Amino acid sequence: MEDTLSDAQSLAIEAPETRLRPMLEIAGVTKRFGEHTVLRKVSLSVQPGEVVVVIGPSGSGKTTLLRCINLLEEYERGIVTVDGEPIGYRLDAGGQRIRMLERDIVAARAKIGIVFQSYNLFPHMSVLHNITAAPIRVKGIARAQAEARARELLAMIGLSDKEAEYPVRLSGGQQQRVAIARALAMDPKIMLFDEVTSALDPELVGEVLAAMQQLARAGMTMVVVTHEMSFARDIADRIVFMDGGVIAEEGKPEQILFSPRTERVRAFLKRYNERYRI
Amino acid sequence: MPFDLNFIARLIPALLEGAKITVELAVLTMAICLVWGLLVALAQGTRGPLGWISGGYIQIVRNTPLLIQLYLVYFGLSMAGIPLSGFASGLVALCAQNGGYVAEIYRGGLQSVSTRQFEAGRALGMGRWTLYTTVILPQVVARIIPPLTNQSISIIKDTSQVAAIAVMEVMKISEIWVETSANTYDVFLGAALIYLALTSVTSCFGRMTERWLAFAQ
Amino acid sequence: MSSFNPLYHSFWYLLRGAGMTLLMAGVAVVPATVFGLVLALAQVFGRRLMRAAVVGYLFLVRGIPLLVLLTFAYYLLPLTGIDLPPFWAVVLVIALYYAAFMSEVFRAGILSLPAAQWDAARSLGMTRSLMLQVVVLPQALRLAAPPFVSLCISLVKATSLVSIVGLWELTMASREVVERTLAPFQIFIGAAAIYFCICYALALYGRHLERRAILGH
C-alpha cells in the first residue's frame, strides 16, 4: 500500500505546460541486495538532449542505477519512464505497482541503448554483423537496409575500414566505439554509458570520449557513469553525485566540481584530485 | 513387478559379496594408479625416448576400449603362457587404462599452477625443494582432488566390465541372478542401488577432502 | 610370438565390425547431443522443479555403469511391451547415458560466457530465444567443442559393451574370430589398433578445435 502513495506522489503526472516532457524519469527507485540497500528512493529526471554525468565512489550505486533503467536489474520500489512510457514496472488503474509483461519489457529495451565496461561486442561476429544483428533479428529490418545504416554509423565513428574484422583484432577503444555504433543502430531514445573507458589503456580513452562528445553534440539524451572528471566537465549539462545509494548533490558541472555544497562531494573530489591531479 | 521379499532377502547378501570384490578392485586400482600415474607423468615430462614411450602409452590406453584391454590381458596373456585370474587381469587392465588418465590429471594439475607462483617463490629466494613442497605441491594437490574423485567414480563403474571375464563382482552376480530367475527388476534395482551408493560415497569423500584441504591451508 | 596370419585373414571381417561400431556410435551421438543440450538448457533456465528433475537424472545416470544400464534395458524392455529391435534399444541407452555427460559440458560452456554478453544481448531487445540463437549458443558450443569430442571418443569405445549383451560390432566380431582361430593376442591387438585409429583421429580433431578456440579469443 505504501508503494502507491509514494510512487504516485513522486511521479510528475501532470507536467506543467512550460516544461518539456522528460526523456527519462526515474521515480523513487529502491533496490536491495539481501540485507544491503543499494539504492534508496532515487529520483532523477533527464530532459531530451540533456547529458547527465553520474559520479561517485565505488559502491555508491551508480552502475546499479543504470542497470535498473533498462531492467537488467530488478528493483523493489519505484517506476522508470522513458519518453513517457514506463519500462519494467508500471502503475495500474488502482495505482498499484505491477510488473509489465516480458514481451513489453523486451520491446521497451530496444528504446534504450547501453554500452558496458568490457566484453561488450559479440566475439563470434564481424563488426558489421555485430551492428546489424539486432536490427535484423529484433526489429525485422531488411539486411540491406540494416547494413547501409551500419556503414553510416561506422563512418561516423571513423571505423569504416574495419567492418569485416572480428572484435579480437580491434583495440579496446575501437571495440567500444563499435559498441556505441551497435547501440545506436537500434535508434534508441536515450543512451546509457557504464564506465565505458575504465577498462581501457589510457591512450585509447580519448577516441571513445570523442565519439561520445560527437553524440552529445548531435542532441542525444545521455546518462554517463564515469571516473573521467575532465570529460565530465566537458560533456555534462548536469552532474549528479551519488553516494551510499542516494543522490547527494546535483548541479551544473562548474558548481559541482569547483564549489560543491556538500562535504561528501568535497571529500570525494579531494581524494580524486590527489590521485589524478586534474 | 511385485516385491518378492523372500527373493530380495536372498539377493542382497549375494550382491554384497559382489560389492566386496568391486570395492577391492576399485580401491586397489586407485591406489596403484596414484603411484603408477605419477611415474608415467614424470616420464612424460622428460625429453627423449622415455618421454615418447610414455606419451604413446597414454594415447594407446585412452583410445582403446577397456573391454578390449581386458580381453587382451586375460586371453592374450594366458595364450602367451602367463595365465592370470579374472581378478588379476581386471586389475592389470584397469590400472593400465586409468594410469594413463591419472597421469594426465597430474600433468594438468601441475600446469594449472601459474608460472607466477614459481617466479614469486624464486624471488623470495626459495630453493627448489622448498618451492615445490611449500608453494607448488599444496596447490597441485588441491587442484587434482576433483578430477581424481571423478576418476575414482569412473573406476568403480568400469569394474562392472570385468564381468565379461567371469569375475564375481556386482555385475556378474546380477547377470547370474537374472538368468536364473524371473525377477529382473529387483536384481536391477539392487545392482543400481549398490553402484549409486558406492559412487555417492566416493563423491562425498572427495568433497570432504576438498574442504579439509582448503581448511588446512 | 606366433605369426599374425590369423589377423590378416580376418582383417576384413573385423573392418566390417568396425563399420557397425561407427554406425552405432554415429546414430547414438545425435540424440545424445540433442537431449544433452535440452538437459543443459533446462538446468540453466528451468524452474526449480525442472532443475531438480534434471539433477536427479544426472545423478542416476552418472552413478550407474553403462553396462548395467545396457544389460537391464536388454532384459527389461521386452517385458514392458515395447517392441524395439536390439540395435535401437542399445543405441537409445547409450544416447541417454551420454546425454547426461554432454549436458554438463554444454552447461559449462553456457555458464562460462561473460555476463556482459548476456547483458548486451538483453539490452539490444533480444528475447531469450533470440539471445540463445544469436549470442549464447554459438559461443558456448564452440567452447564446449573440445570436451564434446572427448565424449564422442568415449562413446565410440562404449559401443564395445554391446558385445556383452550379444550385439554384433567390432568387439563381438573379434571375439568370434578368436574363438575360431584361438589367437587372442593377435586378433585383439588388431581390434585395438582399429579402435585406436578411429579414436585417435577424433582426438586429433579435438586438439585442432582446442587450438582454434585458444587462438580465436
Side-chain angles (χ1 to χ4, degrees):
Chain A
M1 261 303 135
E2 20 173 333
D3 265 17
T4 20
L5 282 168
S6 52
D7 289 333
Q9 275 175 345
S10 38
L11 262 181
I13 303 174
E14 296 295 321
E17 265 62 56
T18 46
R19 255 179 59 199
L20 291 164
R21 184 174 67 183
M23 183 56 81
L24 171 68
E25 180 90 54
I26 301 174
V29 164
T30 299
K31 175 168 179 61
R32 276 181 287 271
F33 261 139
E35 290 300 312
H36 180 48
T37 307
V38 182
L39 295 172
R40 300 167 195 277
K41 284 194 134 198
V42 176
S43 295
L44 180 68
S45 219
V46 181
Q47 298 299 321
E50 196 184 359
V51 176
V52 171
V53 173
V54 182
I55 62 173
S58 3
S60 55
K62 348 189 264 293
T63 293
T64 313
L65 183 65
L66 221 60
R67 291 169 65 88
C68 285
I69 294 176
N70 70 343
L71 213 70
L72 285 181
E73 302 277 354
E74 300 286 334
Y75 44 99
E76 285 74 43
R77 296 243 177 92
I79 305 271
V80 174
T81 311
V82 173
D83 201 16
E85 282 169 37
I87 166 172
Y89 296 90
R90 62 182 176 78
L91 293 181
D92 68 5
Q96 282 275 35
R97 178 181 182 265
I98 58 172
R99 200 168 195 281
M100 292 165 65
L101 291 170
E102 198 61 34
R103 66 158 185 270
D104 294 331
I105 297 177
V106 167
R109 283 208 184 106
K111 289 192 288 179
I112 303 170
I114 182 168
V115 182
F116 302 96
Q117 190 171 339
S118 55
Y119 297 112
N120 236 321
L121 296 181
F122 303 134
H124 59 296
M125 298 183 194
S126 68
V127 162
L128 190 73
H129 196 189
N130 255 279
I131 303 178
T132 58
I136 294 176
R137 301 300 294 267
V138 174
K139 283 187 151 178
I141 296 178
R143 172 182 294 265
Q145 206 182 332
E147 286 184 357
R149 173 93 178 112
R151 293 195 172 106
E152 256 176 53
L153 290 167
L154 281 171
M156 212 175 77
I157 54 172
L159 288 173
S160 298
D161 58 334
K162 301 280 186 209
E163 77 170 48
E165 292 280 10
Y166 280 78
V168 70
R169 303 277 295 263
L170 302 181
S171 74
Q174 291 168 329
Q175 287 185 40
Q176 287 296 53
R177 282 147 67 196
V178 173
I180 295 175
R182 181 180 65 177
L184 289 175
M186 293 292 279
D187 268 325
K189 304 241 172 86
I190 180 171
M191 285 284 281
L192 310 176
F193 295 84
D194 186 8
E195 306 218 24
V196 301
T197 55
S198 301
L200 295 180
D201 291 333
E203 64 265 19
L204 301 173
V205 168
E207 60 193 64
V208 178
L209 299 183
M212 289 165 72
Q213 273 279 22
Q214 215 181 345
L215 206 53
R217 267 186 237 122
M220 173 64 77
T221 313
M222 294 162 63
V223 179
V224 180
V225 171
T226 187
H227 290 318
E228 303 278 337
M229 294 307 168
S230 40
F231 176 64
R233 185 186 54 205
D234 291 336
I235 196 179
D237 295 319
R238 188 166 30 129
I239 293 189
V240 165
F241 178 83
M242 278 191 77
D243 193 10
V246 293
I247 294 180
E249 197 178 328
E250 60 176 295
K252 292 231 173 293
E254 301 71 40
Q255 183 246 301
I256 294 280
L257 291 175
F258 298 116
S259 42
R261 285 190 297 255
T262 52
E263 182 52 42
R264 279 153 130 185
V265 185
R266 268 195 288 262
F268 173 76
L269 289 174
K270 184 156 167 285
R271 262 177 294 143
Y272 184 87
N273 287 339
E274 280 164 11
R275 281 180 70 202
Y276 293 98
R277 312 219 153 274
I278 46 156
Chain B
M1 305 162 213
F3 269 117
D4 186 348
L5 284 172
N6 216 325
F7 179 76
I8 294 180
R10 286 180 297 130
L11 174 68
I12 292 184
L15 284 181
L16 287 179
E17 279 300 315
K20 264 192 249 176
I21 305 286
T22 297
V23 172
E24 247 187 78
L25 202 46
V27 170
L28 274 175
T29 302
M30 199 36 167
I32 296 176
C33 280
L34 281 176
V35 178
W36 174 233
L38 183 60
L39 292 174
V40 173
L42 290 173
Q44 233 218 328
T46 64
R47 278 169 252 266
L50 194 58
W52 297 346
I53 294 177
S54 48
Y57 163 74
I58 294 178
Q59 287 306 315
I60 291 176
V61 294
R62 283 177 63 169
N63 291 305
T64 50
L66 179 64
L67 194 56
I68 296 284
Q69 294 169 17
L70 271 170
Y71 287 148
L72 253 178
V73 174
Y74 188 63
F75 294 114
L77 281 188
S78 72
M79 270 289 142
I82 321 172
L84 286 177
S85 73
F87 186 92
S89 309
L91 188 60
V92 169
L94 279 168
C95 288
Q97 212 200 39
N98 287 286
Y101 284 109
V102 171
E104 288 289 274
I105 290 175
Y106 281 132
R107 200 170 62 98
L110 190 60
Q111 275 186 343
S112 74
V113 177
S114 93
T115 44
R116 257 177 257 153
Q117 297 286 312
F118 286 87
E119 289 167 2
R122 290 260 168 79
L124 287 168
M126 287 187 186
R128 240 166 147 225
W129 177 251
T130 324
L131 179 64
Y132 271 92
T133 52
T134 61
V135 177
I136 307 296
L137 284 181
Q139 291 190 51
V140 173
V141 168
R143 271 163 224 244
I144 61 176
I145 299 290
L148 281 181
T149 310
N150 279 337
Q151 199 63 38
S152 307
I153 292 177
S154 185
I155 291 175
I156 292 173
K157 297 198 297 180
D158 282 347
T159 58
S160 61
Q161 293 184 38
V162 305
I165 49 180
V167 177
M168 289 301 187
E169 45 67 64
V170 175
M171 181 67 225
K172 185 67 187 169
I173 295 189
S174 314
E175 226 182 273
I176 295 175
W177 276 70
V178 162
E179 275 166 25
T180 59
S181 80
N183 255 323
T184 317
Y185 183 68
D186 292 329
V187 179
F188 171 51
L189 209 57
L193 283 173
I194 290 186
Y195 280 111
L196 282 173
L198 289 174
T199 52
S200 306
V201 164
T202 311
S203 257
C204 258
F205 189 63
R207 275 199 302 261
M208 282 194 325
T209 313
E210 271 176 74
R211 244 174 271 163
W212 180 82
L213 273 174
F215 193 68
Q217 287 188 353
Chain C
M1 201 128 311
S2 40
S3 76
F4 269 74
N5 274 331
L7 179 58
Y8 298 146
H9 288 313
S10 323
F11 200 65
W12 186 241
Y13 189 62
L14 291 183
L15 276 185
R16 279 173 47 205
M20 179 55 100
T21 292
L22 284 173
L23 182 66
M24 255 185 218
V27 171
V29 149
V30 179
T33 310
V34 172
F35 189 46
L37 196 54
V38 167
L39 288 172
L41 291 173
Q43 244 196 314
V44 174
F45 296 111
R47 265 164 295 181
R48 193 168 299 173
L49 197 62
M50 194 181 303
R51 288 206 308 266
V54 173
V55 169
Y57 177 81
L58 294 181
F59 172 70
L60 287 176
V61 169
R62 286 162 58 187
I64 303 179
L66 178 58
L67 185 56
V68 173
L69 294 171
L70 273 172
T71 311
F72 286 102
Y74 187 75
Y75 283 108
L76 283 174
L77 227 47
L79 295 180
T80 62
I82 304 176
D83 193 18
L84 214 54
F87 175 85
W88 293 104
V90 299
V91 162
L92 183 66
V93 174
I94 293 178
L96 287 173
Y97 184 78
Y98 275 92
F101 296 91
M102 287 179 179
S103 83
E104 284 296 277
V105 165
F106 293 143
R107 193 171 73 104
I110 292 174
L111 294 178
S112 72
L113 228 49
Q117 289 289 301
W118 298 86
D119 288 343
R122 267 196 295 170
S123 305
L124 288 166
M126 290 191 194
T127 56
R128 177 176 292 169
S129 153
L130 266 184
M131 232 170 36
L132 283 173
Q133 272 181 60
V134 177
V135 176
V136 178
L137 287 180
Q139 295 187 63
L141 294 180
R142 279 205 188 96
L143 279 170
F148 175 78
V149 170
S150 288
L151 283 176
C152 289
I153 295 175
S154 183
L155 197 154
V156 168
K157 295 193 295 177
T159 57
S160 62
L161 296 181
V162 307
S163 64
I164 301 184
V165 288
L167 271 92
W168 191 83
E169 39 63 71
L170 177 51
T171 303
M172 178 62 112
S174 43
R175 273 172 56 185
E176 288 173 351
V177 175
V178 166
E179 243 162 88
R180 215 170 18 91
T181 63
L182 298 179
F185 188 74
Q186 296 92 316
I187 304 300
F188 285 132
I189 290 227
I194 297 177
Y195 274 114
F196 182 82
C197 289
I198 300 173
C199 296
Y200 191 62
L202 282 172
L204 287 177
Y205 182 59
R207 247 185 283 180
H208 164 76
L209 286 176
E210 243 183 271
R211 250 175 282 140
R212 252 186 54 180
I214 297 175
L215 285 171
H217 290 267

